[in-house]
Amino acid sequence: MKKQSLMIAGIAAILCLTACDIKDPQQKSSQIKSDQIKSNVVPEGFKKIITVAKKGDEIVIPFTKYQLDNGLTVILHPDNSDPLVHVDVTYHVGSGREEPGKSGFAHFFEHMMFQGSENVADEQHFGLITESGGTLNGSTNTDRTNYYETVPSNQLERMLWLESDRMGFFLDAVTKEKFENQRETVKNERGQNYDNRPYGLLRERVGEALFPEGHPYSWSTIGYIEDLNRADLNDLKKFFLRWYGPNNATLTIGGDMDETQTLAWVKKYFGGIPRGPEVIQPEYTAVTLKQDRYISMEDNVSLPLVYMSFPTVHANHPDEAPLDVLMSILGSGKTSLLYKNLVKNGKSVQASANHGCGELSCQFTLLALPTPGNSLSELETIIRASLDEFESKGGATDDDIERVKAGIVSGMVYGLESVSGKVSQLAAYQTYRNNPNAIGEDVARYENVSQDDVMRVYKKYIKDKYAVIMSIVPNGQGDKIAKPDTWKRYDRAIPDSTEDDSLVLRPGTSDFDRSVVPVSGKNPSVRAPDIYKLTTKTGIKILGTVNDEVPTTTIRLRVPAGQTRESIDKLGLASLTAAMLSEATKKSSAEDLSNHLQKLGSSVDFSTDNKFTTINIRTLTKNLDETLAVAIEQLTQPKFDEADFKRLQKQQIEGLKTAKKNAATTATEVFNKLVFGSDNSFAYADNGIISTLEKLSLKDVIEFYSANYGPSNADVIVVSNLAENEISKSLKTLDVWQGKSSPMPAINPFPELQAGTLYFIDKPEAAQSEIRIGKRALKYDSVGEYYRADLMNYNLGGAFNSRINLNLREDKGYTYGARSFFYGNDFYGFYRAQAGVRADTTADSIVQFRNEISAFGAQGLTVKELEFVKSAIGQRDARNYETPRQKLSFLSEIMTYNLDKGFVDKQNEILEKVSIEELSGLAAKHLKLDEMITVVVGDKATIMESLQPMFKNIVELDEEGKPL
């Protein structure tokens, strides 16, 4: 529900929105009403509602909408461009349907629905989909819960069997044991993502203050721990009976399918599920405040934060679109007022605006984090002055309106790049508007926003209106809040539970044996993308493929100017240099460049990793040449302004301070330094360390750029709807690029691992501990032992239903997720098992990790596990080449390691022939605990005593990994 900058994220934000005004779809030129469709094409039990087809260049997702007799809405979107299907079941229930004292139920059910049903065994849901080469998940927000999977097209019937069984045959399979296990998992999730994350409680506290007590938006989607603790199995069952009927659900299927067969399967599996209670739409009630409410909290953060939240309208309200435009003007990107008044002048490391919307309410928010030396009260004053400035300068400009419109249209096109994206859009529009074909409506409502509209909503909802203003300050610094609190958290009133006699079990019926897992169809034929190779006049290698499904172009330009080019005394220099390239050039200001890109609906982003600085370019193909011109200008003509350098240096330092508050980040970084040595730059975080960053100068940046930012050894990867010759013509603009490059530096010898040692970093009062267990391992090899080792680990820690995750998450409830993996590139590799676990389970979690790794190393795989990995890995290629991003990853692997396209065929041949003896032998070879170290970040006072008997050698380190 969080709305990002429309200029960058485009429609991705809009499509997450909800609306409580539900209307019948209007007939348009591309729509055919159900009475115009021949009745003989509608299967028995269905009513065809509408068909939408694409005409010309309009932005539309073709579909047909049906309704099953039991009220289930069914939307089909055929798309045979890739041999896969995406299935989404969206229930119109989120935390906004919950009652006071019963928060978190919708999210709890998201977890419970993966725990098996009458005919689906525990873990079988994950097992079948993973074994099919698919991926799956679920999500909950204030207004809906959805479950989705992307699988090879031959698995569609199985997916419908799985989804229907948990819709209609679920409750009798729910046990007290499953209930308690998932309650612990949800509590771990809350600990990891809310209670123990810096600023994690921000929106929960603001919601309490903004909405009246008892309003369902006054609590977070995950709910309160005390409500979860108080809930019993009967409470959850009643919630399911109330909201999870087919008449409150939308089944959306997109991809490579036979529509007639698909409808027959839908009728077979869903037709016998009875309707649930009737569901009325949520009722919007305006939220008002009689005065500003100042609230505050201390938290384990490095920087204070001030956050202002104004109540506005609800999703799909006529004023939502102009409020979004106002949001962009005030706080989205380098063209915004908050950027100019807070970030550009170095007063804040971050400042932004947002307009998050739900069915019951929207919030217009403004946020800022000060640089050291600036106070929250000063930032609040500047934010309020920025609002006044907007009005005094006449409000929105033509440029502002143009940027928003460009962002919307381009975002819609980008959303068509995957079948999952199209299905998600159809499902959301149906759920919130009863009209899957609402893309055109969204385009129209934003294109019709005028300058007068923006000023009108500013005066109506923001000017001189009251807000919730929250301060979050570091622990022990309560005197640094913006203003003293004027509102106190209340003790929640928990109403007595009431019985609803209408909520009775609704047993489904079937005329077939549901216990039989449907047989998969014939495996689809999967072919890696065709590839072309080019070389520019200056020797830059280009690797590309044509993706003609959408008129977009994505380019990845890689320069060998990554972290390995840094010296240890200048860590963070590569990252800082890349950041400087996003600022002003010798010809243009950063604001002008940003404005130009946003009006094109394009993005140009610079980032660094171990070896490369990467320029990621994304654009509508019609704007390719203009976008490339901006990217080349940034790459070849940086201004390197001292003020920009100082500001970015401060931001990077503050970012590192914030990262230190994250136990997971600390654990991983310390592990890397222990394994690869503190004298190798790549062992550190990409953005360096504070002590070296503080000493860097603009001269260092200029020298690094001069030494490394040349075309020699650079490469380009392209995915576009343009043909090879057209791409070649556009990329001639690279011929102007000149400069030097440096050779790959020598890698320093790795340290001898003190195997068996526990390295401990104290994080006082941490409710969770981060565990890392591992060692150095294999470098990358596409068809060698590295590839085979990855196959070996898949059942141990690579899949959701791996031994490690099933043990620690599903069986024990210790963690939100646990895994193990091999990672390697061309100059180093490692094996690592890891998890964030509840603090009181730290010692036993390490025991469980050890037991699983040892047993796997000693005994190897089972026959069933060998079959599983062969099936799962063998079929997942069907979803490996769908989107431009996936194609870029495939081409990047080929480019980085000088592979030929046939390496995929060789991998498949290895997979088909690999034996249980070979993989078990690799397990015995690589999974030796006596070669591994253990890193734990946690509360010493709570857990050290339980760890001491397990380790002969314990070394305590600080957050930098230095011995205490």
Side-chain angles (χ1 to χ4, degrees), residues 74-77 84-90 114 125 129 135-138 146-153 155-164 166 250-257 262 265-266 270 419-421 423-424 427:
V74 180
I75 301 171
L76 302 185
H77 163 63
L84 52 83
V85 290
H86 184 81
V87 178
D88 178 289
V89 179
T90 295
F114 286 104
H125 200 113
I129 293 176
T135 182
L136 72 159
N137 214 327
N146 72 334
Y147 303 88
Y148 52 90
E149 44 269 332
T150 303
V151 294
S153 54
Q155 302 295 330
L156 176 56
E157 185 182 5
R158 279 191 176 186
M159 300 308 104
L160 299 177
W161 172 72
L162 286 169
E163 289 294 355
S164 66
R166 63 179 172 188
T250 297
L251 168 64
T252 310
I253 306 167
D256 188 13
M257 69 178 118
T262 300
W265 284 334
V266 171
F270 289 89
V419 67
S420 62
V423 165
S424 297

Side-chain angles (χ1 to χ4, degrees), residues 17 36 317 443 477 502 517 547 600 728 758 831 863 869 876 890 902 954:
L17 308 184
Q36 297 173 292
H317 185 283
V443 170
Q477 298 182 25
S502 68
V517 180
N547 180 59
L600 294 172
S728 178
L758 168 65
Y831 170 80
V863 173
V869 70
R876 74 180 181 188
F890 174 65
I954 298 177

Side-chain angles (χ1 to χ4, degrees), residues 6 63 155 341 402 466 513 607 702 786 797 814 826 844 919:
L6 290 174
F63 71 90
Q155 302 295 330
N341 295 335
E402 185 179 350
Y466 299 119
D513 186 355
S607 62
I702 294 171
Y786 174 81
Y814 288 173
D826 54 353
D844 193 49
L919 295 185

